[in-house]
Amino acid sequence: MSGQQEFAGRLKALRATLKSSGLDAYVALSSDPHLSEYLPDRWQGRRWLSGFDGSAGTLVVTADFAGLWTDSRYWEQADNDLAGTGIATMRAGAPDVPGPAQWLANQLPEGARVNIDGNALSVQAHRQWQEVLSKKNIKLVSDRDALDGIWTPRPALPHEAVFEHLPPYACRTRPENLAGLRTAMREHRADWHLLSSLDDIAWLFNLRGSDVSYNPVFLAYALIGRTEARLFVAQEKIGTELRQALAADGIRIEPYEDIAGALACLAEGQTLLVDPARTTIGLLQAAAFATKAEALNPTQLMKSRKNAAEIENVRAAMEQDGAALCEFFAWFEAEQGSRRITELTIDEKITEARSRRKGFVSPSFGTIAAYAANGAMPHYHATEASHAVIEGDGLLLIDSGGQYLNGTTDITRVVPVGRVSAEQKRDYTAVLKGMIALSQAVFPEGLAAPLLDTIARAPIWRTGSEYGHGTGHGVGYFMNVHEGPQSIAYRATVTPHSAMLPGMITSNEPGLYRPGKWGIRIENLVLATPACETEFGRFLRFETLTLCPIDTRCIDTDLLAADERAWLNRYHEYVRSRLEPLVDGPALQWLVLRTQAI
């Protein structure tokens, strides 16, 4: 059976289940009970139904329609992945495309029933769906998952061991983290706080795992009281020594599946603090008797502000990462043209280079190695079945990163292969100007991070161009490569938690993509740090943390202003001084060559 026939058969089985259950539509989210970005196989229902394996998308299936809503990063990929499946690509964000909830409200009759698994639907999203569907008297059924009867065998839960993040890499203690969280709980007059988000749990307890691809986290829930802490995790994940260490800090280990029962036992009159964006409606409904208080998980802000020791560790991790990249690019330039190199080879070799560096644990996300037209898909990924050979003339975009015991990295560079056209140079230089503009920004402490976005976009807008993704996301400390609460994206909603504050590490990654031709993105990680204090208040600037040359062969130097040229030369001089002691041979020669002043 072909892949297309297989997916068609699954849709047919789903539609039969919907009909027999009195349901009119099914919605598969990119979500799990912990609302993670990267999902264990058990909750990859959207991928199982459609074949689309991008990280973001919502699949809607009715009796006579199937459509996948995904944003501009994945439009081309979705067209390719869905070809022949009978599933339409719905270009989310396009002016004439309503969101999936509104589309269902427009298409279904009054009284229809729509199934979304409540165990993978956040409280916040549940309210948004309810608001739209209720206007048409459409019922949202969230107490079941229509896939349960047809997805067999469904993958099991991962059961990788949990390990402790220890000094000198762990720079805060569990008691300190718990004390800070309980202070925030008192401000909300909460007796208990529920944590479902895996990065918050791992950070709070100084624990790490490998249940989820790329993010060093493990499946668990946490219920924090004013004097006790309960960690719900599969018992076999926690070794005897670690169990004793956690007990010494007042942390009780309970079975992963017991969380709903524990919430049901919370007494009337007790207040439970929850984050509606990071808690599922299915789980919250178990806490039937407790009073609910809603706020951003306090740990989100606590872990986003790296302390001085963590920042020093990240700087050291950046040196190791930069040295690995020098080795990789020296190899690439030496071998290019003399051997067959594909996008898959890029991923293999860059991971090999990182694996030789001190403290490396794993990639921090799937490497994006995108050559020529593939670079126009911002979240493209090469596969064995579909990948490009690096040959001829074109631009190669490489977005990659590493998880180190002392930090998380994320970097994008574009390098030329063969001849670079004048148009490619103009696009590349516009993106570089945007990245430099944000790198040099000085702004009031506490400014809403989305407002910084226009600084990076202005040079690109001046060319009449735009890009669909945000310019910056928060980055964790040996944690998720995408971390909140800050986001440099003008389309993001400004909230009280959007503030850019000292200690936050954020990406700086403007881009420009020409479908069918090339894609350009230049990315460094930057640290928000004090700039000055005047009668007008405190101001911040960005310290660039990433250490890797930016390829000057793609620049139209006539388009750079004097201050931009000076910034680039200073950056390259700094990169060379930091990395020279860590590399030798061809890697050192490459570093010296690629950091020459322009």
Side-chain angles (χ1 to χ4, degrees):
M1 180 184 294
S2 71
Q4 289 82 359
Q5 290 173 324
E6 186 175 28
F7 295 124
R10 291 171 182 176
L11 288 176
K12 182 178 180 180
L14 174 61
R15 286 176 169 133
T17 296
L18 294 178
K19 184 176 181 179
S20 64
S21 303
L23 297 168
D24 299 281
Y26 177 76
V27 179
L29 306 172
S30 303
S31 186
D32 70 0
H34 303 279
L35 304 171
S36 305
E37 177 182 9
Y38 298 108
L39 311 182
D41 288 344
R42 181 172 181 80
W43 291 296
Q44 292 278 10
R46 186 213 65 207
R47 183 181 69 188
W48 182 81
L49 274 172
S50 69
F52 173 73
D53 64 355
S55 65
T58 298
L59 177 66
V60 173
V61 179
T62 68
D64 54 8
F65 172 83
L68 180 99
W69 273 255
T70 192
D71 61 51
S72 61
R73 297 172 297 169
Y74 292 111
W75 288 350
E76 288 191 55
Q77 179 185 334
D79 286 342
N80 294 332
D81 289 353
L82 300 176
T85 64
I87 302 171
T89 300
M90 304 296 286
R91 298 178 178 249
D96 58 341
V97 178
Q102 188 59 57
W103 186 91
L104 285 167
N106 294 343
Q107 299 296 321
L108 295 180
E110 287 200 17
R113 289 158 49 88
V114 174
N115 176 218
I116 305 178
D117 181 10
N119 291 320
L121 179 65
S122 74
V123 173
Q124 183 181 78
H126 181 263
R127 291 170 181 162
Q128 293 167 346
W129 278 88
Q130 287 273 45
E131 182 181 4
V132 175
L133 297 181
S134 63
K135 294 176 181 177
K136 189 78 173 286
N137 195 29
I138 295 173
K139 180 176 175 58
L140 182 59
V141 180
S142 59
D143 62 351
R144 70 194 75 170
D145 182 1
L147 283 190
D148 283 342
I150 64 171
W151 188 5
T152 56
R154 192 160 181 168
L157 294 175
H159 282 292
E160 301 299 323
V162 173
F163 61 94
E164 193 166 11
H165 193 214
L166 294 167
Y169 305 119
C171 305
R172 317 184 198 211
T173 68
R174 277 188 291 270
E176 289 171 344
N177 290 346
L178 285 164
L181 175 55
R182 285 172 174 140
T183 297
M185 288 171 58
R186 286 193 294 272
E187 293 172 358
H188 292 284
R189 299 180 180 179
D191 301 290
W192 296 94
H193 176 40
L194 171 64
L195 283 173
S196 301
S197 44
L198 303 183
D199 57 328
D200 286 309
I201 294 168
W203 179 88
L204 179 66
F205 296 119
N206 275 359
L207 301 175
R208 299 293 188 269
S210 55
D211 280 348
V212 176
S213 298
Y214 309 120
N215 294 340
V217 297
F218 54 96
L219 299 186
Y221 297 97
L223 191 57
I224 311 301
R226 293 183 176 182
T227 59
E228 62 180 299
R230 305 164 67 180
L231 177 61
F232 297 81
V233 60
Q235 302 293 291
E236 65 272 20
K237 291 177 180 285
I238 309 292
T240 301
E241 187 176 339
L242 178 54
R243 186 181 297 269
Q244 293 171 348
L246 292 169
D249 288 333
I251 299 159
R252 190 164 83 229
I253 305 299
E254 302 185 41
Y256 175 75
E257 62 273 11
D258 286 0
I259 180 62
L263 291 171
C265 289
L266 297 183
E268 187 173 352
Q270 292 188 312
T271 298
L272 176 67
L273 176 64
V274 296
D275 185 337
R278 293 169 183 82
T279 306
T280 66
I281 187 65
L283 185 60
L284 187 60
Q285 286 172 342
F289 302 108
T291 300
K292 315 302 189 300
E294 296 186 0
L296 180 81
N297 282 340
T299 44
Q300 282 278 303
L301 184 58
M302 292 164 64
K303 67 183 171 60
S304 74
R305 301 188 67 180
K306 281 59 178 177
N307 63 30
E310 290 167 336
I311 291 167
E312 279 304 306
N313 280 345
V314 169
R315 291 185 181 120
M318 291 293 178
E319 291 179 341
Q320 295 298 320
D321 204 60
L325 291 168
C326 288
E327 293 178 6
F328 163 75
F329 280 116
W331 168 86
F332 175 74
E333 291 190 18
E335 296 295 323
Q336 177 61 33
S338 62
R339 58 168 286 181
R340 187 176 188 271
I341 299 176
T342 73
E343 293 167 333
L344 296 176
T345 317
I346 301 298
D347 183 15
E348 173 189 342
K349 291 295 183 180
I350 208 165
T351 301
E352 282 181 7
R354 283 194 169 104
S355 69
R356 293 189 287 268
R357 307 311 304 189
K358 179 181 177 182
F360 178 76
V361 176
S362 73
S364 56
F365 56 95
T367 298
I368 300 171
Y371 182 56
N374 291 340
M377 295 178 274
H379 278 209
Y380 166 84
H381 68 276
T383 66
E384 289 288 350
S386 177
H387 59 267
V389 177
I390 314 301
E391 60 186 5
D393 297 326
L395 298 178
L396 173 62
L397 184 154
I398 305 174
D399 188 349
S400 68
Q403 292 286 6
Y404 295 80
L405 292 172
N406 52 341
T408 300
T409 70
D410 182 2
I411 174 175
T412 307
R413 291 293 184 264
V414 173
V415 296
V417 176
R419 186 182 65 86
V420 185
S421 70
E423 187 181 9
Q424 288 170 332
K425 286 188 175 184
R426 284 195 296 271
D427 283 354
Y428 184 95
T429 307
V431 173
L432 176 61
K433 289 166 74 72
M435 195 274 289
I436 292 174
L438 187 56
S439 301
Q440 297 189 102
V442 176
F443 51 92
E445 180 177 325
L447 180 74
L451 302 182
L452 292 166
D453 198 11
T454 57
I455 296 174
R457 290 180 189 267
I460 297 167
W461 285 343
R462 280 197 291 271
T463 71
S465 305
E466 171 66 303
Y467 53 97
H469 58 77
T471 298
H473 56 82
V475 177
Y477 176 71
F478 184 34
M479 191 52 73
N480 293 6
V481 74
H482 297 132
E483 176 179 276
Q486 80 275 25
S487 172
I488 302 177
Y490 73 87
R491 298 178 181 90
T493 302
V494 173
T495 71
H497 310 297
S498 301
M500 186 65 74
L501 298 171
M504 288 181 166
I505 295 177
T506 311
S507 67
N508 173 5
E509 50 179 313
L512 202 165
Y513 310 92
R514 296 196 182 276
K517 295 182 178 180
W518 58 77
I520 297 164
R521 184 166 63 254
I522 304 173
E523 176 185 16
N524 284 338
L525 299 189
V526 295
L527 168 71
T529 188
C532 61
E533 185 171 356
T534 72
E535 67 271 27
F536 298 103
R538 289 193 293 267
F539 290 78
L540 301 180
R541 64 176 183 85
F542 285 128
E543 172 193 338
T544 297
L545 297 171
T546 302
L547 301 171
C548 183
I550 296 168
D551 205 302
T552 58
R553 293 172 293 175
C554 299
I555 300 172
D556 183 339
T557 55
D558 290 339
L559 299 178
L560 286 184
D563 67 310
E564 294 166 336
R565 189 188 302 254
W567 182 92
L568 185 60
N569 287 337
R570 286 196 307 271
Y571 175 67
H572 279 158
E573 183 179 3
Y574 181 63
V575 168
R576 186 169 62 251
S577 70
R578 292 279 298 278
L579 298 185
E580 269 183 329
L582 299 175
V583 295
D584 55 22
L588 177 58
Q589 295 170 12
W590 180 87
L591 172 66
V592 171
L593 176 65
R594 294 291 166 233
T595 54
Q596 290 180 352
I598 60 171

